[in-house]
């Protein structure tokens, strides 16, 4: 990042270099991703707990058994069960979003440093590498679709944010 103000003292220069480093960017994306993922996980868990039986796919024997167990619980037991479900889902989603944020931000920063440019190619390439790496756990086809999906999403976000 260019700075066109008065000369920086050495301490401020080191702080700027640290905050612009790929490690710091990846760490911030990890922390932010975990927080966002945890909030999304809690929200999704609360929606799961309030889904009525009348919806398609909800009238399975397992779901009927779950709802029968919930109806038999006391208020305290219900709250404890809901808390356990929400914290478990928040933790799981938080970890996943943290991993995505870390890999994407770190990869994008490394690509930008290597190319020496800040343009739309960097996030698209980082999106492809992140999605591909995540998708490879499901096989090569899933890796290709993960690459394409994350790259397209990264491009759409860049166009929306920067108007490229």
């Amino acid at each position: 990042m260019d700075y066109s103000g008065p000369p920086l003292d050495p301490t401020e220069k080191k702080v700027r270099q640290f905050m612009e480093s790929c490690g710091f960017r990846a760490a911030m994306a990890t922390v932010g991703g975990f927080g966002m993922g945890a909030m999304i996980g809690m929200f999704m868990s609360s929606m799961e707990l309030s889904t009525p039986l009348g919806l398609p796919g909800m009238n399975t024997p397992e779901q009927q058994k779950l709802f029968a167990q919930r109806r038999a619980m006391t208020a305290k037991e219900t709250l404890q069960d809901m808390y356990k479900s929400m914290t478990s889902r928040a933790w799981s989603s938080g970890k996943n979003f943290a991993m995505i944020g870390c890999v994407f931000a770190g990869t994008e920063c490394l690509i930008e440093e290597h190319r020496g440019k800040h343009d739309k190619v960097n996030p698209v390439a980082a999106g492809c590498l992140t999605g591909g790496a995540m998708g490879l756990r499901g096989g090569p086809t899933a890796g290709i679709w993960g690459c394409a999906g994350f790259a397209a999403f990264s491009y759409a976000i860049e166009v929306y944010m920067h108007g490229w």
Side-chain angles (χ1 to χ4, degrees):
M1 179 176 270
D2 294 334
Y3 179 73
S4 59
L8 299 175
D9 65 56
T11 306
E12 192 171 352
K13 195 172 189 177
K14 285 182 182 180
V15 168
R16 278 184 187 258
Q17 286 174 342
F18 173 73
M19 291 182 72
E20 291 174 2
S21 69
C22 291
F24 183 77
R25 287 185 190 181
M28 291 304 295
T30 303
V31 171
F34 182 83
M36 184 62 122
M39 287 190 289
I40 289 172
M42 285 182 66
F43 175 75
M44 295 304 288
S45 177
S46 70
M47 292 294 109
E48 182 179 285
L49 295 172
S50 64
T51 305
L53 277 172
L55 291 177
M58 294 303 296
N59 216 0
T60 62
E62 295 84 22
Q63 288 298 111
Q64 288 179 351
K65 183 179 176 186
L66 177 67
F67 281 105
Q69 289 172 343
R70 287 237 169 97
R71 279 191 287 261
M73 290 180 181
T74 65
K76 183 178 180 182
E77 290 172 335
T78 302
L79 287 173
Q80 287 173 337
D81 185 54
M82 289 172 65
Y83 176 77
K84 183 179 175 184
S85 174
M86 289 177 88
T87 54
S88 170
R89 189 79 174 263
W91 179 254
S92 176
S93 293
K95 288 190 305 183
N96 289 333
F97 275 69
M99 190 267 307
I100 291 169
C102 180
V103 172
F104 180 84
T107 305
E108 182 184 21
C109 183
L110 290 172
I111 290 170
E112 186 175 323
E113 279 186 0
H114 177 73
R115 292 183 69 231
K117 292 182 188 177
H118 177 73
D119 58 7
K120 63 185 169 194
V121 173
N122 300 338
V124 171
C128 179
L129 289 171
T130 303
M134 287 176 44
L136 278 177
R137 290 186 280 178
T141 304
I144 291 168
W145 281 107
C147 169
F150 265 74
F153 183 72
S154 298
Y155 180 77
I157 293 297
E158 284 299 310
V159 168
Y160 177 75
M161 297 297 287
H162 300 290
W164 281 330

